[in-house]
Amino acid sequence: MPIAKIEVCRSHPPERVAALIEAVYQAQIEALKVPEDDKQIRYIEHKPEHCPIPPGKTENYTFVEFLLFPGRSLEAKRRLYQGIVGRLGLLGIQASDILIVLIEPPLENWGLRGQPASEVDLGFNLQV
């Protein structure tokens, strides 16, 4: 159940937004083995004047952040990073313009169905 957020510093047409979301989604499915119906991705565009681009980056700077349950292996995380960079590369975004951050709060800090996620059958394996 990763919740992903894609942030960019300029406007994109709807078809490009859909391609960015799909690229991140497919990388999650492949690397993290998330269920195929678990697409929780938010796309956020900032006005250029509200989003200073970090030094050495271009107008294609793309920040991808994940909130996810802990438990994935370093190898799964590597596959996720490589999958995102490879797929966004096909959309013309250079690896040097991509920053990916994973945030993994403990299961007891996720509320699902009125209970801590640590007490809920998640229905999928976190150990990938």
Side-chain angles (χ1 to χ4, degrees):
M1 178 179 143
I3 299 171
K5 180 172 42 174
I6 303 166
E7 294 188 45
V8 298
C9 297
R10 65 185 181 107
S11 183
H12 292 286
E15 58 277 0
R16 178 144 173 109
V17 172
L20 290 166
I21 290 170
E22 190 63 21
V24 170
Y25 180 53
Q26 290 304 318
Q28 285 182 105
I29 290 172
E30 183 178 293
L32 304 179
K33 311 299 183 212
V34 297
E36 291 202 24
D37 62 344
D38 193 2
K39 190 177 193 176
Q40 296 191 59
I41 301 173
R42 292 174 284 161
Y43 174 83
I44 301 165
E45 287 181 346
H46 297 283
K47 293 179 183 179
E49 62 270 21
H50 294 174
C51 187
I53 296 172
K57 309 297 181 196
T58 74
E59 67 176 5
N60 285 327
Y61 177 68
T62 304
F63 176 63
V64 184
E65 179 180 78
F66 288 90
L67 278 172
L68 67 161
F69 297 148
R72 274 62 175 223
S73 68
L74 178 56
E75 187 53 38
K77 293 173 185 179
R78 279 190 187 109
R79 286 191 308 267
L80 178 65
Y81 304 147
Q82 292 165 357
I84 290 172
V85 167
R87 285 173 171 83
L88 294 185
L90 296 174
L91 299 174
I93 302 172
Q94 297 177 13
S96 59
D97 276 331
I98 301 167
L99 175 62
I100 303 164
V101 175
L102 306 182
I103 301 169
E104 301 177 287
L107 283 174
E108 64 266 14
N109 290 350
W110 292 79
L112 299 175
R113 300 174 221 134
Q115 300 177 56
S118 56
E119 298 173 5
V120 174
D121 177 8
L122 301 174
F124 57 92
N125 185 12
L126 296 174
Q127 305 301 315
V128 295

